[in-house]
Amino acid sequence: MFLHSVNLWNLAFYVFMVFLATLGLWDVFFGFEENKCSMSYMFEYPEYQKIELPKKLAKRYPAYELYLYGEGSYAEEHKILPLTGIPVLFLPGNAGSYKQVRSIGSIALRKAEDIDFKYHFDFFSVNFNEELVALYGGSLQKQTKFVHECIKTILKLYKGQEFAPKSVAIIGHSMGGLVARALLTLKNFKHDLINLLITQATPHVAPVMPLDRFITDFYTTVNNYWILNARHINLTTLSVAGGFRDYQVRSGLTFLPKLSHHTSALSVVSSAVPKTWVSTDHLSIVWCKQLQLTTVRAFFDLIDADTKQITQNSKKKLSVLSHHFIRHPSKHFEENPAIISDLTGTSMWVPVKVSKWTYVAYNESEKIYFTFPLENHRKIYTHVYCQSTMLDTNSWIFACINSTSMCQQGVDLSWKAELLPTIKFLTLRLQDYPSLSHLVVYVPSVHGSKFVVDCEFFKKETRFIQLPVTHLFSFGLSSRKVMLNTNGLYYNIELLNFGQIYQAFKINVVSKCSAVKEEITSIYKLHIPWSYEDSLTIAQAPSSTEISLKLHIAQPENDSHVALLKMYTSSDCRYEVTIKTSFSQILGQVVRFHGGALPAYVISNMLLTYRGQLYSLFSTGCCLEYATMLDKEAKPYKVDPFVIIIKFLLGYKWFKELWDVLLLPELDAIILTSQSMCFPLISLILFLFGTCTAYWSGLLSSASVRLLSSLWLALKRPSELPKDIKMISPDLPFLTIVLIIVSWTTCGALAILLSYVYYVFKVVHLQASLTTFKNSQPVNPKHSRRSEKKSNHHKDSSVHHLRLSANDAEDSLRMHSTVINLLTWIVFLSMPSLIYWLKNLRYYFKLNPDPCKPLAFILIPTMAVLGNTYTVSIKSSKLLKTASQFPLPLAVGVIAFGSAHLYRVPCFAFIPLLLHALCNFM
């Protein structure tokens, strides 16, 4: 029946939309690099020593605990408190385990052993009972207060020690990082209790799914505090994102707000972190060996030798984090590095006058300084580029000032170099260093190892090449190409007109090499200058390499930088770079950035369908099929123009003042614009996806009702259509009161679910009764029509006792089909708090605070009445016309206020249901 009410063109459209959605979902969940993280293993058996908390604290937070991580002899020694190390507190995230601390804890322990425990870190971890705080925000404040108590407890463990710490460092994974930031909002919290905050895959900007108002209120409180008090917050903060492998928390949400007066915050994607260079998923970010090694190195460089604790010098902390997470020069960190170095000693000085030079070092017996005079090169070239495959941490490139051929002291340029997986390199613009007379490349004496050093001078116009990206709507049918025919080692491809999150491209780099015996490695680095989200691709030449090009953060309006493809190549190869639009990746960006808003658009479509059915019932006395009405009524021009007009008017001061007087919330479209998340035609695209989802949702619910009714008939004796229609059956008030009591004493979402089950049962029973009635009717159509007329005549002559005919039952089922769809989505959006409640049932019988309780009090009696409602009983209602007009503005309201605040969506959806129920009485 459901499919029969849809024509083939509409069905083809719905299938096509499923195909597009599948492409987008595939890109989000599978369209990324393979997991290149190495697993971090424990060398000894990990132990978690439970820290005894004060009795009052343990009673106040029965589900939470504090642990100290240890292994082997370290764990045995530290079972006897107090402690002597540097405290670090790990906070797990949504459904996270306190045992996730073991990776970084074990690596830090091995590092401490390497330096004979001159310094060591004590890693603590909080057990939040694996609470689902991303689904339910009511416990975030409780977690924050518990962490505050944990910090005070931890510091007491060091009391009386010579170098007792006065603060702790915090590592927060996922929502744990947000809880750490929320500590500063507590009234009695002293900011100097935290000396460093590192967050891993933490959504700082906004919740991934705003499923209740407690989550959004918590975010608003934390972010507003950090913005308003930025001048007074001296906490050095580093946020590390996982990149495209992390489909749970997109990296754009992890970037801390850039404030001109708050310079102690850094945000970076793991693929851009030196010596890591990999994308991590949401869980592997806590055990990825490359990233944890980088983090531990940073921790040890942060130690103050005088206090044997993490330094209080904010400038040094930021320098250390920048050194390890932003730009690594392939040298050990030094707070005040020596810029001038002595170049004396028994070394050979070899002058090099050519513009392009390569030296292969193998079993060198003495040190060599190769000098490049710059005076003549300045006249011809603009830049110099040098690279070395020896990845040690010693200085390797210098410059002489006003020298003829050699110098006793030189400027150490190694600090300006940059490390890549297979090379370290330096690029200098010659006009920036007018006082330098010579460039000096140092080759140390080596035994048994081989490395290559290359240098070349070049003109900017030969290596900085512009490549405009293809148009968004070219759908990959056209491409743009550039050939790199010179024998260069380094190229900068400027990707013009690329800076929006809805742009996505595939870059293909083809390398063709002359006959060479050794393997040639090329590195392609995507550099995004307005955010630290670079990514590397290593290719073996000759080859054809495909690179995905898309953004986590859109280019700011006042930023004029250009995204770059930096190519570190071989002079023995030629390269061809082709770029074309990737339609599947564009769809992936739509899903990644706006997929969470889909429920709002689905319910908007359903409300428009519901409006059509109610109006049809009012005007013609019959109710059309759900799919037919969805095709007729669910049109984007009924919703989108109103939202666009409101957004436009809010740009005027008088309208904004009127808006504020009416206490209306901020328009979601404005919030998305402030987060640079606006796609062209995104609302139209989401509306069409919403229409498709509403259709398949209706098909599924209709099929489910028919299947359940068949099972009912198989298990129970055949039912009959009700002879007398009663809006309120004897058991209805009792059932309603019981469910309201359940809502008040346990969990509102549980009561909503039970009411929903009751409603579905009533609809399934009606479907079974109608099926029984049709099967019992004679085949003769004339007799069937006479029976129908008799039934209708009896119905018309009876005012107080309405009888239900087969036609009325079918009309009622069509209406119930739409109501079930709406209720299904309402129940779906309320389920997170129910899941949280069930998981914590052994600690708390009553969910407090409960986001669904107010909704449950209204929805329970509404569903109870609707379960006993038939179209015949509301056709003559005076309220029906009004009820049929309400869903349209509510459909607009869902998009305007619910796309970025999903918890508001049920509030819009239940209003027409309530009016529908009231039609029975008015």
Side-chain angles (χ1 to χ4, degrees):
M1 287 293 292
F2 193 92
L3 286 173
H4 292 164
S5 61
V6 182
N7 62 48
L8 289 177
W9 286 110
N10 288 339
L11 187 59
F13 166 75
Y14 295 136
V15 172
F16 177 67
M17 293 304 294
V18 169
F19 171 72
L20 294 183
T22 303
L23 285 179
L25 290 169
W26 185 93
D27 179 71
V28 171
F29 293 106
F30 305 103
F32 41 70
E33 65 181 53
E34 63 181 8
N35 191 353
K36 298 178 182 177
C37 278
S38 300
M39 175 65 78
S40 51
Y41 294 98
M42 285 73 254
F43 288 84
E44 297 177 273
Y45 189 78
E47 294 187 35
Y48 305 89
Q49 180 184 347
K50 186 176 178 180
I51 303 298
E52 189 175 348
L53 300 173
K55 290 183 179 180
K56 287 185 178 179
L57 189 62
K59 189 176 181 180
R60 196 187 316 162
Y61 304 101
Y64 300 161
E65 297 168 322
L66 177 64
Y67 288 88
L68 171 65
Y69 177 80
E71 293 177 18
S73 59
Y74 170 87
E76 289 298 323
E77 291 172 7
H78 288 79
K79 285 182 180 179
I80 304 173
L81 304 173
L83 304 173
T84 58
I86 304 168
V88 179
L89 179 60
F90 175 80
L91 303 180
N94 176 59
S97 169
Y98 65 95
K99 294 182 179 181
Q100 289 173 312
V101 72
R102 63 181 176 267
S103 294
I104 191 168
S106 181
I107 292 172
L109 186 58
R110 301 284 84 77
K111 177 75 172 176
E113 287 178 349
D114 291 342
I115 59 174
D116 295 325
F117 284 94
K118 180 181 178 181
Y119 310 111
H120 74 273
F121 289 87
D122 300 318
F123 278 84
F124 297 85
S125 184
V126 174
N127 178 17
F128 286 133
N129 191 37
E130 300 184 11
E131 287 184 335
L132 303 170
V133 288
L135 302 181
Y136 169 75
S139 62
L140 286 169
Q141 190 67 19
K142 183 170 61 175
Q143 287 190 0
T144 305
K145 291 178 179 179
F146 180 73
V147 172
H148 183 200
E149 298 297 332
C150 286
I151 292 173
K152 292 189 287 186
T153 301
I154 289 169
L155 294 178
K156 287 178 183 177
L157 300 177
Y158 296 85
K159 200 170 183 180
Q161 297 301 306
E162 183 181 0
F163 298 101
K166 297 179 181 178
S167 57
V168 302
I170 294 181
I171 299 176
H173 173 239
S174 188
M175 295 297 286
L178 187 70
V179 168
R181 287 180 64 216
L183 285 167
L184 275 62
T185 66
L186 298 178
K187 289 183 179 179
N188 300 321
F189 185 80
K190 297 178 181 178
H191 290 196
D192 56 4
L193 288 178
I194 309 176
N195 53 47
L196 177 69
L197 173 58
I198 296 178
T199 66
Q200 299 172 336
T202 296
H204 292 293
V205 178
V208 177
M209 294 290 283
L211 295 171
D212 65 53
R213 63 180 179 86
F214 304 120
I215 295 178
T216 55
D217 289 348
F218 190 81
Y219 266 90
T220 302
T221 301
V222 173
N223 286 331
N224 285 350
Y225 182 89
W226 277 66
I227 292 171
L228 295 174
N229 297 277
R231 295 182 186 276
H232 309 294
I233 295 176
N234 197 29
L235 175 59
T236 303
T237 308
L238 170 70
S239 174
V240 183
F244 287 109
R245 278 194 62 84
D246 189 352
Y247 52 77
Q248 294 185 46
V249 176
R250 63 176 179 84
S251 296
L253 292 175
T254 67
F255 278 66
L256 293 160
K258 291 183 178 179
L259 303 173
S260 58
H261 45 275
H262 184 212
T263 57
S264 298
L266 290 173
S267 302
V268 63
V269 179
S270 61
S271 59
V273 175
K275 295 191 175 183
T276 300
W277 295 306
V278 296
S279 177
T280 65
D281 60 54
H282 196 63
L283 293 179
S284 68
I285 198 169
V286 300
W287 57 255
C288 181
K289 186 176 181 180
Q290 297 95 312
L291 183 59
Q292 300 311 320
L293 282 169
T294 300
T295 306
V296 169
R297 292 188 201 106
F299 267 125
F300 277 87
D301 282 342
L302 285 165
I303 297 174
D304 187 321
D306 296 328
T307 64
K308 294 190 177 181
Q309 296 293 326
I310 289 180
T311 180
Q312 297 298 317
N313 187 332
S314 298
K315 187 177 179 181
K316 179 182 177 180
K317 284 189 279 191
L318 204 62
S319 297
V320 170
L321 295 178
S322 297
H323 177 92
H324 288 283
F325 288 89
I326 305 299
R327 188 177 178 277
H328 199 297
S330 190
K331 288 181 67 66
H332 291 306
F333 174 80
E334 294 180 27
E335 188 174 359
N336 298 302
I339 302 301
I340 304 298
S341 299
D342 292 329
L343 303 181
T344 56
T346 54
S347 305
M348 289 179 59
W349 286 75
V350 179
V352 179
K353 296 183 178 180
V354 295
S355 61
K356 188 169 185 178
W357 168 82
T358 298
Y359 184 79
V360 180
Y362 183 67
N363 282 335
E364 298 295 330
S365 59
E366 57 182 319
K367 305 172 185 176
I368 307 174
Y369 288 106
F370 292 95
T371 63
F372 298 79
L374 301 180
E375 183 178 357
N376 292 331
H377 290 308
R378 291 183 197 276
K379 299 175 182 177
I380 306 173
Y381 304 106
T382 60
H383 290 71
V384 60
Y385 170 84
C386 290
Q387 67 179 32
S388 171
T389 60
M390 187 174 187
L391 303 182
D392 64 354
T393 57
N394 296 316
S395 295
W396 64 285
I397 189 163
F398 307 88
C400 296
I401 300 175
N402 300 325
S403 173
T404 53
S405 60
M406 57 182 291
C407 54
Q408 293 184 346
Q409 288 187 325
V411 179
D412 190 350
L413 297 177
S414 305
W415 291 101
K416 296 183 179 295
E418 188 173 341
L419 179 67
L420 289 176
T422 58
I423 61 170
K424 54 185 177 183
F425 71 93
L426 173 70
T427 305
L428 294 179
R429 191 168 66 164
L430 296 177
Q431 71 178 49
D432 293 340
Y433 302 90
S435 61
L436 302 185
S437 60
H438 289 74
L439 190 69
V440 180
V441 174
Y442 171 61
V443 175
S445 58
V446 292
H447 300 283
S449 60
K450 178 181 178 181
F451 66 95
V452 181
V453 184
D454 298 276
C455 283
E456 65 174 353
F457 292 85
F458 62 85
K459 292 182 180 179
K460 179 180 178 180
E461 55 268 24
T462 62
R463 304 298 175 84
F464 287 67
I465 301 164
Q466 294 184 341
L467 178 62
V469 298
T470 49
H471 194 272
L472 177 68
F473 296 110
S474 63
F475 301 109
L477 300 176
S478 63
S479 63
R480 288 188 175 136
K481 185 184 299 184
V482 63
M483 301 286 294
L484 310 179
N485 291 318
T486 56
N487 298 328
L489 299 170
Y490 171 72
Y491 295 91
N492 249 356
I493 310 294
E494 297 181 357
L495 303 170
L496 303 181
N497 308 319
F498 173 63
Q500 301 301 324
I501 55 174
Y502 53 78
Q503 293 177 296
F505 306 92
K506 286 183 180 178
I507 297 177
N508 191 49
V509 181
V510 178
S511 56
K512 298 177 181 178
C513 307
S514 55
V516 288
K517 296 181 180 179
E518 296 183 358
E519 192 177 67
I520 297 174
T521 301
S522 299
I523 300 176
Y524 312 130
K525 178 179 180 179
L526 284 172
H527 175 60
I528 310 301
W530 55 84
S531 62
Y532 298 117
E533 54 176 287
D534 298 0
S535 60
L536 294 179
T537 302
I538 301 175
Q540 303 301 325
S543 64
S544 177
T545 305
E546 188 174 274
I547 305 169
S548 292
L549 177 60
K550 51 195 173 188
L551 292 172
H552 298 291
I553 297 286
Q555 185 174 15
E557 291 183 2
N558 57 351
D559 194 301
S560 59
H561 291 93
V562 179
L564 302 172
L565 174 62
K566 295 186 175 185
M567 301 178 62
Y568 305 89
T569 57
S570 169
S571 57
D572 296 321
C573 301
R574 301 290 183 272
Y575 296 83
E576 178 183 284
V577 181
T578 307
I579 187 170
K580 61 181 180 180
T581 300
S582 174
F583 183 61
S584 62
Q585 291 188 70
I586 291 174
L587 292 173
Q589 291 291 80
V590 171
V591 174
R592 184 175 287 109
F593 283 85
H594 293 280
L598 184 63
Y601 284 86
V602 174
I603 288 186
S604 181
N605 275 273
M606 289 181 176
L607 286 173
L608 292 174
T609 306
Y610 195 23
R611 171 188 177 273
Q613 285 186 319
L614 289 172
Y615 187 77
S616 171
L617 190 62
F618 166 74
S619 58
T620 65
C622 64
C623 183
L624 296 179
E625 284 280 358
Y626 171 83
T628 304
M629 198 55 72
L630 178 69
D631 176 48
K632 182 180 178 182
E633 293 291 330
K635 305 297 181 185
Y637 60 78
K638 295 183 178 181
V639 174
D640 282 346
F642 292 100
V643 178
I644 294 169
I645 291 170
I646 294 171
K647 182 183 177 183
F648 173 76
L649 290 175
L650 282 170
Y652 292 95
K653 186 178 179 180
W654 64 270
F655 191 81
K656 183 67 171 67
E657 290 175 350
L658 177 62
W659 190 269
D660 293 337
V661 167
L662 296 174
L663 301 178
L664 293 171
E666 190 173 10
L667 201 68
D668 282 0
I670 293 177
I671 296 174
L672 296 178
T673 302
S674 67
Q675 297 176 6
S676 301
M677 284 177 56
C678 283
F679 282 48
L681 307 175
I682 185 60
S683 188
L684 173 62
I685 295 169
L686 288 174
F687 193 93
L688 295 178
F689 277 123
T691 306
C692 173
T693 308
Y695 168 77
W696 292 111
S697 173
L699 178 62
L700 180 63
S701 66
S702 178
S704 300
V705 167
R706 291 179 181 277
L707 177 62
L708 290 172
S709 67
S710 299
L711 291 173
W712 175 266
L713 291 174
L715 297 173
K716 301 285 266 182
R717 65 179 183 178
S719 307
E720 296 181 356
L721 290 174
K723 297 179 180 179
D724 294 325
I725 298 175
K726 297 179 181 179
M727 273 76 77
I728 301 180
S729 58
D731 60 336
L732 198 59
F734 173 76
L735 180 64
T736 303
I737 292 171
V738 169
L739 290 175
I740 289 176
I741 292 173
V742 169
S743 172
W744 180 263
T745 57
T746 58
C747 173
L750 175 64
I752 291 174
L753 179 62
L754 294 174
S755 302
Y756 173 75
V757 171
Y758 168 78
Y759 179 81
V760 171
F761 167 76
K762 297 294 288 186
V763 175
V764 169
H765 186 269
L766 178 61
Q767 177 69 58
S769 300
L770 180 61
T771 304
T772 303
F773 177 80
K774 287 184 175 180
N775 292 339
S776 65
Q777 292 300 298
V779 180
N780 189 345
K782 292 183 180 181
H783 185 276
S784 177
R785 280 198 294 269
R786 283 197 300 270
S787 300
E788 193 66 40
K789 285 179 181 178
K790 287 181 181 179
S791 174
N792 287 333
H793 175 74
H794 184 80
K795 174 185 69 177
D796 294 336
S797 61
S798 177
V799 178
H800 299 290
H801 300 283
L802 296 174
R803 287 181 62 85
L804 191 67
S805 68
N807 284 343
D808 290 329
E810 287 182 347
D811 267 2
S812 298
L813 282 171
R814 293 186 191 113
M815 185 66 75
H816 283 307
S817 174
T818 306
V819 174
I820 279 184
N821 280 326
L822 275 172
L823 290 175
T824 300
W825 282 89
I826 292 174
V827 171
F828 170 74
L829 292 173
S830 65
M831 278 300 97
S833 62
L834 176 61
I835 296 169
Y836 176 90
W837 175 75
L838 289 172
K839 195 172 184 303
N840 292 272
L841 192 56
R842 59 176 172 164
Y843 300 108
Y844 312 104
F845 186 71
K846 180 179 179 180
L847 183 63
N848 186 32
D850 188 345
C852 295
K853 188 177 292 183
L855 178 65
F857 287 167
I858 303 174
L859 204 56
I860 289 169
T862 300
M863 280 195 278
V865 172
L866 287 177
N868 292 274
T869 297
Y870 305 93
T871 53
V872 66
S873 64
I874 64 170
K875 287 179 183 179
S876 59
S877 171
K878 296 178 181 179
L879 191 61
L880 183 58
K881 183 178 181 181
T882 305
S884 68
Q885 293 171 342
F886 259 81
L888 177 58
L890 291 172
V892 176
V894 165
I895 304 302
F897 303 110
S899 54
H901 298 82
L902 289 181
Y903 65 90
R904 294 175 182 166
V905 171
C907 301
F908 288 95
F910 89 84
I911 293 175
L913 297 174
L914 177 62
L915 293 174
H916 184 174
L918 291 175
C919 286
N920 287 283
F921 308 102
M922 300 175 67

